[in-house]
Short mmCIF file of all heavy atoms in Angstrom, two decimals:
data_model
loop_
_atom_site.label_atom_id
_atom_site.label_comp_id
_atom_site.label_asym_id
_atom_site.label_seq_id
_atom_site.Cartn_x
_atom_site.Cartn_y
_atom_site.Cartn_z
N PRO A 38 5.51 -17.52 11.93
CA PRO A 38 6.40 -17.94 10.84
C PRO A 38 6.01 -17.37 9.48
O PRO A 38 6.87 -17.17 8.63
CB PRO A 38 6.29 -19.46 10.85
CG PRO A 38 5.00 -19.76 11.53
CD PRO A 38 4.76 -18.63 12.50
N SER A 39 4.73 -17.09 9.26
CA SER A 39 4.31 -16.58 7.95
C SER A 39 4.90 -15.20 7.67
O SER A 39 5.16 -14.85 6.52
CB SER A 39 2.79 -16.55 7.84
OG SER A 39 2.24 -15.63 8.76
N LEU A 40 5.15 -14.41 8.73
CA LEU A 40 5.77 -13.10 8.53
C LEU A 40 7.21 -13.25 8.03
O LEU A 40 7.64 -12.53 7.13
CB LEU A 40 5.76 -12.29 9.84
CG LEU A 40 4.37 -11.88 10.36
CD1 LEU A 40 4.50 -11.20 11.71
CD2 LEU A 40 3.65 -10.99 9.36
N TYR A 41 7.93 -14.21 8.59
CA TYR A 41 9.32 -14.45 8.16
C TYR A 41 9.34 -15.03 6.74
O TYR A 41 10.22 -14.70 5.95
CB TYR A 41 10.03 -15.40 9.13
CG TYR A 41 10.29 -14.76 10.47
CD1 TYR A 41 9.42 -14.97 11.53
CD2 TYR A 41 11.39 -13.93 10.67
CE1 TYR A 41 9.64 -14.38 12.77
CE2 TYR A 41 11.63 -13.33 11.90
CZ TYR A 41 10.75 -13.56 12.94
OH TYR A 41 10.97 -12.97 14.15
N PHE A 42 8.38 -15.90 6.43
CA PHE A 42 8.28 -16.46 5.08
C PHE A 42 8.07 -15.34 4.06
O PHE A 42 8.75 -15.27 3.04
CB PHE A 42 7.14 -17.48 5.04
CG PHE A 42 6.88 -18.05 3.67
CD1 PHE A 42 7.87 -18.70 2.95
CD2 PHE A 42 5.63 -17.95 3.10
CE1 PHE A 42 7.63 -19.23 1.69
CE2 PHE A 42 5.37 -18.48 1.85
CZ PHE A 42 6.37 -19.12 1.14
N GLU A 43 7.12 -14.46 4.36
CA GLU A 43 6.84 -13.33 3.46
C GLU A 43 8.06 -12.42 3.34
O GLU A 43 8.40 -11.96 2.24
CB GLU A 43 5.64 -12.55 4.00
CG GLU A 43 5.00 -11.65 3.00
CD GLU A 43 3.72 -11.01 3.53
OE1 GLU A 43 3.07 -11.57 4.44
OE2 GLU A 43 3.39 -9.94 3.02
N LEU A 44 8.73 -12.19 4.45
CA LEU A 44 9.95 -11.38 4.44
C LEU A 44 11.00 -12.00 3.51
O LEU A 44 11.64 -11.30 2.73
CB LEU A 44 10.49 -11.24 5.87
CG LEU A 44 11.61 -10.25 6.11
CD1 LEU A 44 11.18 -8.83 5.78
CD2 LEU A 44 12.04 -10.34 7.58
N GLY A 45 11.14 -13.32 3.58
CA GLY A 45 12.08 -14.02 2.71
C GLY A 45 11.75 -13.84 1.24
O GLY A 45 12.63 -13.65 0.40
N ILE A 46 10.48 -13.87 0.92
CA ILE A 46 10.06 -13.68 -0.47
C ILE A 46 10.45 -12.28 -0.96
O ILE A 46 10.99 -12.12 -2.05
CB ILE A 46 8.55 -13.93 -0.63
CG1 ILE A 46 8.27 -15.43 -0.45
CG2 ILE A 46 8.05 -13.44 -1.98
CD1 ILE A 46 6.82 -15.79 -0.37
N PHE A 47 10.20 -11.27 -0.13
CA PHE A 47 10.55 -9.91 -0.54
C PHE A 47 12.06 -9.74 -0.68
O PHE A 47 12.53 -9.11 -1.63
CB PHE A 47 9.97 -8.87 0.44
CG PHE A 47 8.50 -8.65 0.27
CD1 PHE A 47 7.61 -8.91 1.30
CD2 PHE A 47 7.98 -8.19 -0.93
CE1 PHE A 47 6.25 -8.71 1.14
CE2 PHE A 47 6.62 -7.99 -1.11
CZ PHE A 47 5.75 -8.26 -0.06
N TYR A 48 12.83 -10.31 0.25
CA TYR A 48 14.29 -10.23 0.11
C TYR A 48 14.75 -10.96 -1.15
O TYR A 48 15.68 -10.53 -1.82
CB TYR A 48 14.99 -10.79 1.35
CG TYR A 48 15.12 -9.80 2.48
CD1 TYR A 48 14.62 -10.08 3.73
CD2 TYR A 48 15.78 -8.58 2.29
CE1 TYR A 48 14.75 -9.17 4.78
CE2 TYR A 48 15.93 -7.67 3.33
CZ TYR A 48 15.40 -7.98 4.56
OH TYR A 48 15.54 -7.08 5.59
N GLY A 49 14.08 -12.07 -1.46
CA GLY A 49 14.42 -12.80 -2.69
C GLY A 49 14.17 -11.95 -3.93
O GLY A 49 14.96 -11.98 -4.88
N CYS A 50 13.09 -11.19 -3.93
CA CYS A 50 12.81 -10.29 -5.05
C CYS A 50 13.89 -9.23 -5.21
O CYS A 50 14.16 -8.78 -6.32
CB CYS A 50 11.45 -9.61 -4.87
SG CYS A 50 10.05 -10.72 -5.04
N LEU A 51 14.52 -8.86 -4.10
CA LEU A 51 15.60 -7.87 -4.14
C LEU A 51 16.97 -8.52 -4.38
O LEU A 51 17.98 -7.84 -4.41
CB LEU A 51 15.65 -7.08 -2.82
CG LEU A 51 14.54 -6.07 -2.61
CD1 LEU A 51 14.57 -5.54 -1.19
CD2 LEU A 51 14.66 -4.92 -3.60
N LYS A 52 16.98 -9.84 -4.53
CA LYS A 52 18.21 -10.61 -4.76
C LYS A 52 19.18 -10.50 -3.58
O LYS A 52 20.39 -10.54 -3.74
CB LYS A 52 18.93 -10.17 -6.05
CG LYS A 52 18.06 -10.20 -7.28
CD LYS A 52 17.74 -11.59 -7.70
CE LYS A 52 17.03 -11.58 -9.04
NZ LYS A 52 15.93 -12.49 -9.11
N ASP A 53 18.62 -10.36 -2.36
CA ASP A 53 19.42 -10.36 -1.14
C ASP A 53 19.35 -11.76 -0.55
O ASP A 53 18.57 -12.03 0.36
CB ASP A 53 18.90 -9.31 -0.15
CG ASP A 53 19.78 -9.16 1.08
OD1 ASP A 53 20.56 -10.09 1.38
OD2 ASP A 53 19.68 -8.11 1.74
N GLY A 54 20.17 -12.65 -1.10
CA GLY A 54 20.13 -14.06 -0.73
C GLY A 54 20.39 -14.32 0.74
O GLY A 54 19.77 -15.20 1.34
N GLU A 55 21.31 -13.58 1.34
CA GLU A 55 21.63 -13.81 2.75
C GLU A 55 20.41 -13.56 3.64
O GLU A 55 20.07 -14.39 4.49
CB GLU A 55 22.79 -12.90 3.16
CG GLU A 55 23.25 -13.14 4.58
CD GLU A 55 24.43 -12.25 4.95
OE1 GLU A 55 25.27 -11.95 4.07
OE2 GLU A 55 24.49 -11.86 6.13
N GLN A 56 19.74 -12.44 3.43
CA GLN A 56 18.55 -12.13 4.23
C GLN A 56 17.37 -13.04 3.86
O GLN A 56 16.56 -13.40 4.72
CB GLN A 56 18.16 -10.66 4.06
CG GLN A 56 19.13 -9.70 4.71
CD GLN A 56 19.24 -9.92 6.21
OE1 GLN A 56 18.26 -10.18 6.90
NE2 GLN A 56 20.45 -9.84 6.71
N GLU A 57 17.30 -13.42 2.59
CA GLU A 57 16.25 -14.33 2.14
C GLU A 57 16.34 -15.65 2.89
O GLU A 57 15.37 -16.11 3.50
CB GLU A 57 16.38 -14.56 0.63
CG GLU A 57 15.39 -15.54 0.05
CD GLU A 57 15.64 -15.81 -1.43
OE1 GLU A 57 16.69 -15.40 -1.98
OE2 GLU A 57 14.77 -16.45 -2.03
#
Side-chain angles (χ1 to χ4, degrees):
S39 65
L40 294 175
Y41 291 97
F42 175 57
E43 197 174 335
L44 190 61
I46 290 171
F47 284 119
Y48 277 123
C50 290
L51 287 170
K52 306 290 187 223
D53 186 339
E55 184 178 326
Q56 290 300 320
E57 177 185 10

